[in-house]
Amino acid sequence: MRCSLPSAALAALIAVTDLSIASSAFVERLLGRSSPIGSDQADGVPLKIAVAKSFEGPNAASARVVLRAAEKLVHEVHAGSGIDERSILLEPFEDRRTAEGAEFAAIAIGWSDDIIGVVGHGSSTASRSAGHIYRLYKMPAITPTSTIPHITLFNEWFFRTIFNDGGPASSFTTPRPRSASARSPRFI
């Protein structure tokens, strides 16, 4: 079911994910899963978004930073009147930064009746494993940190807001002219 949101509310939802074209496509899918704005179903019911990251272990600090950033943006949305007087809730899900952990989290998210979208996962491996589950449940998901293009290839429910693997590395290397005695290329 489609919803119509005022442009300010749409901008606020995009801000929760990241300002990018992938984010606007994610928000379109997200809105398609939420109850229609202004309907009896939507009256006072918060919009719940899952945050799937590794909140324990060596990557916990990075996951907490992403969660805090999302909470800050949600707070800014709430400083207004929310989204058509609906609040946004973030619900953390542990993915252990593994394929199995991500699948377990994705199934729990997919089974949830009140979650309308996902921000996560923290690694390309976790995102790739969860992606087919989100496609099955038609759950929009966006990852701010997974760099492999395969995550979004053939999956209209998964979006990325970061460069591809190898993209940045090629911009940092500059070929240096070879000397006659050099046997291999040199990079600066």
Side-chain angles (χ1 to χ4, degrees), residues 4-184:
S4 62
L5 286 178
S7 58
L10 183 59
L13 271 176
I14 290 171
V16 168
T17 56
D18 186 3
L19 298 172
S20 71
I21 293 170
S23 295
S24 13
F26 167 72
V27 169
E28 271 186 42
R29 295 283 181 173
L30 193 72
L31 297 177
R33 285 190 54 90
S34 66
S35 304
I37 302 296
S39 75
D40 292 337
Q41 297 170 331
D43 193 26
V45 176
L47 299 170
K48 191 181 282 189
I49 299 173
V51 179
K53 300 283 276 176
S54 180
F55 294 99
E56 298 174 6
N59 297 300
S62 158
R64 284 191 300 271
V65 166
V66 169
L67 183 60
R68 271 185 262 145
E71 287 170 344
K72 183 178 185 226
L73 291 167
V74 166
H75 181 71
E76 290 175 18
V77 170
H78 291 167
S81 61
I83 298 179
D84 284 352
E85 300 182 11
R86 292 173 73 181
S87 61
I88 299 172
L89 296 177
L90 298 175
E91 184 170 333
F93 281 83
E94 175 64 45
D95 73 1
R96 296 189 322 248
R97 200 175 171 98
T98 64
E100 298 80 19
E103 286 179 349
F104 184 79
I107 290 168
I109 291 166
W111 271 92
S112 176
D113 290 334
D114 56 351
I115 293 176
I116 62 167
V118 183
V119 175
H121 293 259
S123 72
S124 295
T125 300
S127 293
R128 185 177 52 230
S129 295
H132 70 278
I133 295 168
Y134 295 137
R135 185 177 60 222
L136 176 70
Y137 285 105
K138 296 183 176 6
M139 176 69 68
I142 191 164
T143 177
T145 55
S146 300
T147 57
I148 60 170
H150 295 66
I151 294 166
T152 55
L153 195 61
F154 308 116
N155 189 344
E156 66 277 13
W157 295 94
F158 215 119
F159 304 91
R160 292 183 311 124
T161 62
I162 195 166
F163 51 81
N164 292 341
D165 283 341
S170 65
S171 67
F172 294 128
T173 58
T174 305
R176 188 175 80 184
R178 268 185 153 185
S179 67
S181 63
R183 293 187 182 165
S184 62

